Amino acid sequence: METVLIVEDNDEMQQLLKKVLQTHYHILSAYSGTEGLLVFNENQVDLVLLDRMLPGKNGDEVLKELRQSTAVPVIILTALDARADVAKFLLAGANDYIIKPFDIEELQARIRVQLRDHISPEENASVTYKNITLLTDIFSVTNGTQTVLLKKKEFEILKLPFKHPKQVFTREQIYRAVWQADYYDDDNTMNVHLSNLRKMLQQLDPENDYIATVWGIGVKLA
């Protein structure tokens, strides 16, 4: 599940964006430019929705700092009367823009296009945590000497924390991302997969734990 950071100081707009996007993406929120940069630097972010007018550092300052260190897609949120400034943002490195008030389906389409077209340096690389490497091209994990082929669901579950090691994922987030369906608390399917993954990782690396339970919230890398 990709992570979208919404940098927007209007709480009503924040809640609207979160409501329509959280089914498909993990959402992070920031209410000022300064907070947006802090949240970005502390998390693995795949796309930024960036408002122009922000307290603290404004949108163009945030964009400038982001472009000094990352090529993550940035979509500018702008009011109709500020459309003349759009060219400035595009020339400064923004990938796209959308004018408020916007059509939800159009916004979702613009996000999908940017995520589809953006290929990060890590996208095709293996991902290593402690002594285990996730081989993303062949749906496997290895400890360097032994390689285990994962089932598709197991791979998709494990890929989330390996790609986003600082994040805690709720069971609902994982289920929606992997099964593309609504999650019910009494569904034991994911618990079985998590148990199988823990056993398999324990066999590959008996000295370390990899999947930790955050009680009342979800799971993360240990």
Side-chain angles (χ1 to χ4, degrees):
M1 178 182 286
E2 291 105 333
T3 296
V4 173
L5 168 61
I6 304 171
V7 189
E8 165 66 66
D9 64 323
N10 183 286
D11 185 62
E12 184 177 347
M13 180 62 68
Q14 274 275 7
Q15 297 308 314
L16 171 63
L17 291 169
K18 184 175 182 179
K19 180 179 179 180
V20 299
L21 297 177
Q22 64 183 356
T23 300
H24 302 290
Y25 307 105
H26 175 55
I27 303 299
L28 300 173
S29 297
Y31 291 83
S32 71
T34 304
E35 183 186 10
L37 290 169
L38 179 64
V39 173
F40 182 89
N41 290 329
E42 291 182 346
N43 295 273
Q44 178 69 41
V45 176
D46 299 295
L47 182 140
V48 179
L49 292 177
L50 177 63
D51 188 35
R52 287 184 64 257
M53 303 300 294
L54 294 166
K57 295 185 177 182
N58 59 32
D60 56 351
E61 292 176 302
V62 174
L63 179 63
K64 182 178 179 181
E65 290 200 30
L66 288 175
R67 284 297 172 255
Q68 291 176 355
S69 61
T70 181
V72 162
V74 176
I75 298 178
I76 299 296
L77 304 175
T78 182
L80 181 61
D81 59 1
R83 188 170 184 172
D85 292 333
V86 166
K88 178 184 71 174
F89 279 92
L90 294 175
L91 290 172
N95 299 80
D96 199 357
Y97 70 94
I98 192 162
I99 296 173
K100 303 176 186 176
F102 45 77
D103 179 79
I104 294 301
E105 291 186 359
E106 180 184 358
L107 174 63
Q108 292 173 329
R110 289 177 181 271
I111 291 174
R112 286 197 298 269
V113 166
Q114 291 302 325
L115 291 173
R116 179 194 67 195
D117 293 346
H118 177 71
I119 302 176
S120 67
E122 303 87 10
E123 187 66 30
N124 295 317
S126 300
V127 184
T128 299
Y129 185 74
K130 295 182 180 178
N131 298 320
I132 298 293
T133 298
L134 182 70
L135 304 173
T136 59
D137 54 343
I138 58 173
F139 286 56
S140 303
V141 289
T142 181
N143 58 8
T145 58
Q146 182 182 0
T147 300
V148 176
L149 180 66
L150 298 176
K151 297 177 181 177
K152 183 172 178 17
K153 298 299 186 187
E154 293 174 342
F155 173 81
E156 293 296 335
I157 291 172
L158 193 60
K159 183 174 70 172
L160 287 172
F162 263 68
K163 289 271 189 177
H164 307 277
K166 296 180 181 180
Q167 294 182 18
V168 178
F169 290 92
T170 67
R171 281 173 161 73
E172 181 178 4
Q173 287 174 333
I174 296 173
Y175 197 90
R176 285 181 178 272
V178 175
W179 277 270
Q180 298 292 309
D182 292 333
Y183 173 69
Y184 300 96
D185 288 338
D186 59 351
D187 191 330
N188 197 44
T189 304
M190 188 168 59
N191 290 332
V192 172
H193 282 77
L194 287 170
S195 177
N196 290 339
L197 283 170
R198 285 191 173 99
K199 291 176 182 177
M200 179 267 298
L201 293 170
Q202 182 69 24
Q203 291 175 352
L204 288 174
D205 184 11
E207 302 300 320
N208 288 292
D209 292 326
Y210 284 85
I211 301 175
T213 297
V214 182
W215 294 108
I217 302 178
V219 298
K220 66 184 291 292
L221 286 188

